[in-house]
């Protein structure tokens, strides 16, 4: 059996993000996509719309000076439009470092990502890394 189509969309999106290919990534998101980022820091909150999400990703790359590395470890679809992905994230920002497991909960409709909920191993560490 091949990979479930929803899992394939998430895998393509994660690969595009890791490669900094935001053009490809943007084609996998609906115009009204929403990304929810936990914590109380400069990138946390609800990012509504493809443009807002793309700005979030550009900010993450710029603020980490190209050190952001998000290694995909697992992709698990439920067959009903949801996919959970597990990642190992590493980055540097100024004198701060980030090294932790994270997870994303995706909603897929019509072969595109409509919603992304991010979960992190340590919210305090994320807040300290990104600051205000």
């Amino acid at each position: 059996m091949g990979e479930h189509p929803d899992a394939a969309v998430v895998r393509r999106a994660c690969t595009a993000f890791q490669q900094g290919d935001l053009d490809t990534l943007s084609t996998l998101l609906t115009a009204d996509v929403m990304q929810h980022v936990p914590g109380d820091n400069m990138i946390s909150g609800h990012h509504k719309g493809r443009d807002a999400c793309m700005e979030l990703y550009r900010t993450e790359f710029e603020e980490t000076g190209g050190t952001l590395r998000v290694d995909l470890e697992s992709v698990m679809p439920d067959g009903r439009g949801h996919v959970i992905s597990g990642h190992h994230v590493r980055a540097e920002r100024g004198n701060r470092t980030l090294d932790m497991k994270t997870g994303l909960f995706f909603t897929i409709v019509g072969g595109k990502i409509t919603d992304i909920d991010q979960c992190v191993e340590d919210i305090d560490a994320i807040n300290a890394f990104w600051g205000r």
Side-chain angles (χ1 to χ4, degrees):
M1 280 184 70
E3 185 171 48
H4 189 278
D6 293 343
V9 168
V10 167
R11 191 174 301 280
R12 283 184 61 210
C14 292
T15 298
F17 182 88
Q18 178 58 44
Q19 294 173 348
D21 183 358
L22 298 184
D23 290 336
T24 296
L25 180 56
S26 70
T27 68
L28 301 171
L29 307 175
T30 61
D32 63 348
V33 65
M34 177 89 84
Q35 180 153 355
H36 313 276
V37 180
D40 182 20
N41 58 69
M42 69 176 282
I43 66 165
S44 62
H46 306 286
H47 303 270
K48 183 164 179 55
R50 184 185 299 124
D51 291 343
C53 289
M54 300 312 291
E55 183 60 31
L56 166 66
Y57 309 146
R58 281 190 286 279
T59 298
E60 289 176 318
F61 284 119
E62 289 169 6
E63 288 288 326
T64 60
T67 65
L68 179 62
R69 177 132 188 101
V70 182
D71 295 320
L72 181 63
E73 295 184 338
S74 60
V75 177
M76 299 168 281
D78 71 356
R80 297 175 287 121
H82 303 106
V83 177
I84 294 175
S85 62
H87 307 265
H88 190 145
V89 177
R90 295 173 190 90
E92 297 174 8
R93 184 169 178 257
N95 63 352
R96 303 173 194 141
T97 60
L98 184 64
D99 185 355
M100 76 170 57
K101 303 265 186 197
T102 65
L104 297 173
F105 181 83
F106 293 88
T107 302
I108 312 291
V109 176
K112 294 202 179 222
I113 298 165
T114 64
D115 196 81
I116 308 166
D117 269 301
Q118 183 177 352
C119 297
V120 298
E121 195 171 46
D122 185 339
I123 291 176
D124 291 335
I126 286 287
N127 288 338
F129 181 79
W130 288 110
R132 272 315 224 162

